[in-house]
Amino acid sequence: MSEKITLEELKSSFRDVIDFPKEGIVFKDITTALKRPEIFRHLVDELYEKYKDLGITKVVGIESRGFILGAALAYRLGAGFVLVRKEGKLPADTHKKSYALEYGSDTIEVHKDAIDKGETVLVHDDLLATGGTAAATLDLIKVFEPKKVYASFIIELAFLKGKDALGESEELDIFSLVSF
């Protein structure tokens, strides 16, 4: 178990980048947290503790920062790791989903053989803002007919109501380590 990190210390470890990726956006940058080994350990350990007894068989990381903790978490959970990437980045046959996000639109893909029917899946990304990318990912995951789906985030920008876009329910459990 990692050393105890306070919520305020965790929140202050993230950097705000003004007008990125476009004017009017305040980007929450996790790289300042990840470079600190005690914070990185804390993030992985906290998510592991939350999900360790839930029978997760696959962790789905959303491009690109979702790959970082998603892969570490899959390792800790003894689960497989699945990549959800932007269109054209995966080499084999894919399912794809286009969606709107707060500063444009995009398309994501997942390999058609990534998840087996009936698996328990944890979708992970660094940030939940308006929920567009996560909602598109969850739509992709439904194609596989999982037994249960969880969604985890390092940061939630609660004022943007991303949870509403995801439709938290008995079928979907949503968790964020930090809320702004």
Side-chain angles (χ1 to χ4, degrees):
M1 192 62 125
S2 59
E3 63 186 82
K4 189 65 180 158
I5 305 293
T6 67
L7 181 58
E8 286 311 309
E9 185 178 4
L10 184 58
K11 283 184 169 185
S12 70
S13 73
F14 306 117
R15 169 176 40 204
D16 287 345
V17 181
I18 308 301
D19 294 330
F20 182 83
K22 73 176 230 176
E23 192 172 335
I25 303 289
V26 178
F27 184 84
K28 291 286 188 196
D29 181 16
I30 67 166
T31 63
T32 50
L34 297 177
K35 72 180 182 179
R36 296 178 51 192
E38 72 280 7
I39 299 285
F40 184 74
R41 243 186 335 273
H42 174 80
L43 293 170
V44 174
D45 289 348
E46 288 295 310
L47 289 170
Y48 171 75
E49 287 299 319
K50 168 82 175 157
Y51 295 106
K52 68 181 180 182
D53 297 322
L54 299 178
I56 308 268
T57 55
K58 291 284 178 9
V59 175
V60 175
I62 301 174
E63 185 168 330
S64 68
R65 289 169 304 277
F67 296 168
I68 301 164
L69 259 63
L73 189 53
Y75 172 78
R76 288 284 312 271
L77 292 170
F81 184 68
V82 173
L83 304 170
V84 167
R85 300 215 54 199
K86 292 183 178 173
E87 186 174 29
K89 301 289 186 180
L90 292 172
D93 290 337
T94 63
H95 295 293
K96 66 175 66 179
K97 176 76 178 173
S98 295
Y99 64 99
L101 59 160
E102 53 272 32
Y103 46 84
S105 64
D106 216 337
T107 301
I108 55 172
E109 297 180 319
V110 65
H111 278 137
K112 287 184 176 180
D113 62 355
I115 299 169
D116 294 326
K117 182 178 179 178
E119 290 201 83
T120 300
V121 176
L122 171 61
V123 172
H124 177 76
D125 204 359
D126 67 320
L127 179 78
L128 175 59
T130 61
T133 306
T137 299
L138 291 167
D139 283 347
L140 281 177
I141 300 310
K142 287 178 188 173
V143 171
F144 297 103
E145 300 179 42
K147 176 180 169 184
K148 175 75 177 174
V149 179
Y150 299 90
S152 70
F153 303 91
I154 299 170
I155 299 170
E156 176 185 355
L157 301 179
F159 64 94
L160 293 175
K161 302 186 185 306
K163 276 188 179 178
D164 294 348
L166 303 185
E168 187 170 32
S169 65
E170 284 186 26
E171 292 78 37
L172 175 64
D173 179 271
I174 304 168
F175 175 74
S176 301
L177 286 170
V178 176
S179 182
F180 287 95

